[in-house]
Amino acid sequence: MVCIMSGASRQLALLLCGCCVAALGAQAEERCPAERHQAAQYVAAVYEHRSILSPNPLALTSRKQALELMNQNLDIYEQQVTIAAQKGVQIIVFPEDGIHGFNFTRTSIYPFLDFLPSPYLVRWNPCLEPHRFHDTEVLQRLSCMAVKGEMFLVANLGTKQPCHSSDPGCPNDGRYQYNTNVVFSSNGTLVDSYRKQNLYFEAAFNTPLEVDRITFDTPFAGKFGIFTCFDILFFDPAVRLLRDSEVKHVVYPTAWMNQLPLLAAIQIQRGFAIAFGVNFLAANIHHPSLGMTGSGIHTPLKSFWHHDMESPEGHLIIAQVAKNPQGLIGTGNATGKMDPSHSKFLKILAGDPYSEKDAQDVHCDGAPKWNTNAPPTFNSEMMYDNFTLVPVWGKEGYLQVCANSLCCHLLYQRPTLSKELYALGVFDGLHTVHGTYYVQVCALVKCGGLGFETCGQEVTEAAGIFEFHLWGNFSTSYIFPMLLTSGMTLETPDQLGWENDHYFLRKSELSSGLVTAALYGRLHEKD
């Protein structure tokens, strides 16, 4: 399924000019006028790149052979910069591992590494000074692309830094190797660099001894933050960067393998943009056979995204973005007449019983509780975690399910019933597979089949339409709202925020069947 669309809710005013240009390979299609409002917006691009990979990344090769492969990928980058320049793009982001590939050893990646001088110690324009440092051919090409396109350029590459045996952290081979993002200004100057902190099974690279917390200034949109892929789930540097209120934009190279129902690339990207109220420019690698696709230019109110598990081609996304992103409407500043479902939600939060006799037969005497015919709780694996769930039966109802200190609640209505099983799930614990980190999750998911054991399986198509409030008594303020409907379609919540020490998400009028509605919380201090 190919998805290139704006995900704004019908109820929300679109505060951004809706401009999106998407290019498949070298073909560009203009979706709307390219003229931008200079005072309030800038034009951004991200490129989802199908990288040309080394046929044997474990084999030893020469620098010359490594450059031959990397130049093939850089040729494609240069084509995309040319297309983007014709559309007035001011900043472009390329993905993680897009130039050299992946699955190297520490030794086999060495010929692919550029030497990178510190931008803090040396002011350097590689395009204008190509012979100043050895082993900088990739940096030179990227710098010249920025000059040619007259745009800021963000790319990811492997870098090396010699070290001395007197350095207690120096590896035995006498060098540090880093997974590195670089930023070039529109005149080709190396503005900044960021070394990935939270490596994801990357034996070829070192973890920096000190965390890089990198921001850079632009003349067209102010301050940007930068980090890479797996960093998005951790406090340092992602959350700490955004404590700076001047950081309103993030550039994010990634090589993300999708995992539904909670961690598809576009899900976590959009969730981050909403949670922190920033513009999020995410460029993913494109290898559908490895489950790697999903890029976007995400704002708190809308997204321009690409998710394609079928096409072998790369994809360019261009969009106009507000310099000062506007957040979603929370309860504190909501206006207008309150609808009955929200009144019911507030009554439940206040401790009043849910008294509407529905298909779930919830009692009305006192606090909500189940009768003997109430839906059973069950356990099923989701994202390698043991979730506690309750089936969502009937056309309307109120459900609650708890695990450890977290209780999740769902108040819902359905215009029609579909022949599908949905479930409300909760997890409050340490995730230990493919990384160790503590999460609190409330999730309404479509199950893979009609059996309870299928709840948590990967699903991309659904028919069930819901109007709902989803909420929980989270112990963290770092919560990613996620709304995904059939065909990998991103949706925007109508409302979200805190109410009576509970964090809630509210949505009506889904564009298609619900796949996942989730509140994905991170408790960094319990990692």
Side-chain angles (χ1 to χ4, degrees):
M1 175 62 67
V2 181
C3 306
I4 317 150
M5 55 189 76
S6 163
S9 167
R10 298 177 191 177
Q11 283 75 24
L12 291 168
L14 298 183
L15 301 181
L16 312 176
C17 170
C19 181
C20 173
V21 178
L24 205 58
Q27 299 298 317
E29 178 184 354
E30 187 168 332
R31 299 288 178 91
C32 58
E35 183 179 354
R36 64 182 182 270
H37 297 292
Q38 295 283 357
Q41 298 182 311
Y42 66 98
V43 182
V46 300
Y47 181 61
E48 180 164 309
H49 175 52
R50 181 176 178 84
S51 52
I52 299 168
L53 301 174
S54 170
N56 185 1
L58 302 181
L60 301 182
T61 187
S62 66
R63 175 67 172 175
K64 180 181 177 182
Q65 291 170 316
L67 285 171
E68 287 175 355
L69 183 140
M70 291 191 290
N71 277 322
Q72 293 181 65
N73 287 308
L74 290 167
D75 289 343
I76 299 171
Y77 280 25
E78 192 162 357
Q79 293 169 6
Q80 301 307 315
V81 169
T82 299
I83 295 170
Q86 294 169 353
K87 304 297 180 182
V89 166
Q90 294 159 284
I91 185 168
I92 189 167
V93 184
F94 290 100
E96 181 186 24
D97 298 336
I99 296 172
H100 57 265
F102 36 74
N103 294 331
F104 293 94
T105 67
R106 180 175 180 83
T107 303
S108 68
I109 202 174
Y110 182 70
F112 293 83
L113 305 180
D114 267 34
F115 169 72
L116 180 68
S118 169
Y120 300 106
L121 300 177
V122 178
R123 182 171 176 83
W124 180 43
N125 187 314
C127 191
L128 299 181
E129 304 172 274
H131 304 298
R132 187 171 177 183
F133 302 101
H134 294 294
D135 291 339
T136 57
E137 293 91 339
V138 174
L139 292 168
Q140 292 167 30
R141 284 207 65 182
L142 293 170
S143 171
C144 291
M145 286 181 211
V147 172
K148 182 179 179 181
E150 298 183 68
M151 66 185 69
F152 272 63
L153 185 148
V154 180
N156 174 272
L157 73 160
T159 62
K160 58 187 177 183
Q161 183 66 51
C163 56
H164 195 270
S165 57
S166 60
D167 176 357
C170 184
N172 293 332
D173 52 18
R175 63 181 182 268
Y176 291 107
Q177 299 182 175
Y178 296 116
N179 177 331
T180 306
N181 297 336
V182 287
V183 182
F184 293 96
S185 70
S186 57
N187 67 8
T189 299
L190 178 64
V191 172
D192 227 320
S193 64
Y194 165 74
R195 301 169 300 173
K196 186 178 180 182
Q197 183 66 30
N198 299 285
L199 298 174
Y200 188 79
F201 303 101
E202 298 170 70
F205 295 118
N206 296 107
T207 300
L209 299 179
E210 295 184 3
V211 180
D212 288 347
R213 302 182 184 103
I214 303 300
T215 62
F216 61 93
D217 286 305
T218 66
F220 51 84
K223 190 176 288 189
F224 283 72
I226 183 170
F227 50 86
T228 309
C229 201
F230 202 36
D231 287 329
I232 197 171
L233 291 177
F234 296 90
F235 184 82
D236 248 336
V239 176
R240 194 182 295 274
L241 275 180
L242 292 166
R243 287 183 166 181
D244 181 348
S245 60
E246 293 183 1
V247 178
K248 300 182 184 300
H249 321 270
V250 173
V251 289
Y252 178 69
T254 185
W256 191 277
M257 298 176 67
N258 290 298
Q259 189 178 6
L260 290 164
L262 298 178
L263 287 180
I266 58 173
Q267 270 182 306
I268 190 68
Q269 294 163 15
R270 183 70 197 287
F272 193 96
I274 294 174
F276 289 96
V278 295
N279 296 324
F280 199 75
L281 282 52
N284 198 7
I285 209 80
H286 187 77
H287 288 285
S289 63
L290 301 175
M292 303 172 88
T293 182
S295 303
I297 297 173
H298 308 275
T299 81
L301 293 184
K302 63 192 297 187
S303 287
F304 305 94
W305 76 91
H306 176 75
H307 177 102
D308 188 349
M309 289 293 290
E310 298 171 2
S311 171
E313 301 299 326
H315 196 96
L316 182 68
I317 304 171
I318 301 175
Q320 287 190 344
V321 186
K323 293 181 181 180
N324 292 296
Q326 301 296 314
L328 283 165
I329 299 173
T331 52
N333 58 356
T335 57
K337 184 178 179 181
M338 188 177 298
D339 65 76
S341 69
H342 198 62
S343 297
K344 194 179 298 181
F345 157 70
L346 293 176
K347 287 181 180 178
I348 294 173
L349 269 185
D352 292 343
Y354 175 73
S355 59
E356 183 171 346
K357 184 172 176 60
D358 63 3
Q360 311 275 18
D361 271 332
V362 179
H363 279 299
C364 304
D365 50 344
K369 59 184 180 181
W370 305 117
N371 67 6
T372 56
N373 297 319
T377 59
F378 62 95
N379 292 91
S380 188
E381 184 178 283
M382 187 189 307
M383 311 292 296
Y384 301 104
D385 294 322
N386 184 27
F387 272 69
T388 302
L389 303 104
V390 60
V392 180
W393 292 335
K395 292 184 67 174
E396 60 182 36
Y398 164 73
L399 296 170
Q400 172 183 300
V401 63
C402 301
N404 294 330
S405 64
L406 178 63
C407 284
C408 301
H409 308 257
L410 177 71
L411 180 67
Y412 71 95
Q413 290 183 315
R414 303 181 64 182
T416 57
L417 291 177
S418 58
K419 294 181 180 180
E420 299 165 308
L421 175 62
Y422 282 85
L424 172 67
V426 59
F427 181 77
D428 179 8
L430 191 67
H431 175 87
T432 58
V433 179
H434 301 154
T436 302
Y437 46 92
Y438 200 102
V439 294
Q440 287 187 326
V441 183
C442 293
L444 170 59
V445 296
K446 183 204 166 183
C447 304
L450 297 180
F452 288 172
E453 73 281 358
T454 69
C455 296
Q457 293 180 357
E458 297 199 9
V459 174
T460 58
E461 304 296 328
I465 302 297
F466 286 80
E467 295 185 6
F468 64 92
H469 286 73
L470 173 68
W471 71 97
N473 60 328
F474 288 86
S475 304
T476 177
S477 60
Y478 303 118
I479 302 167
F480 302 112
M482 298 176 177
L483 263 179
L484 194 66
T485 58
S486 194
M488 296 299 293
T489 303
L490 292 173
E491 301 269 352
T492 300
D494 295 341
Q495 195 174 0
L496 52 81
W498 289 95
E499 188 72 55
N500 286 3
D501 296 323
H502 289 71
Y503 193 82
F504 78 96
L505 181 157
R506 171 190 178 194
K507 182 62 180 177
S508 59
E509 297 189 34
L510 294 171
S511 65
S512 57
L514 181 68
V515 171
T516 302
L519 297 171
Y520 191 92
R522 281 285 286 114
L523 276 74
H524 304 287
E525 66 276 13
K526 288 192 173 184
D527 292 352

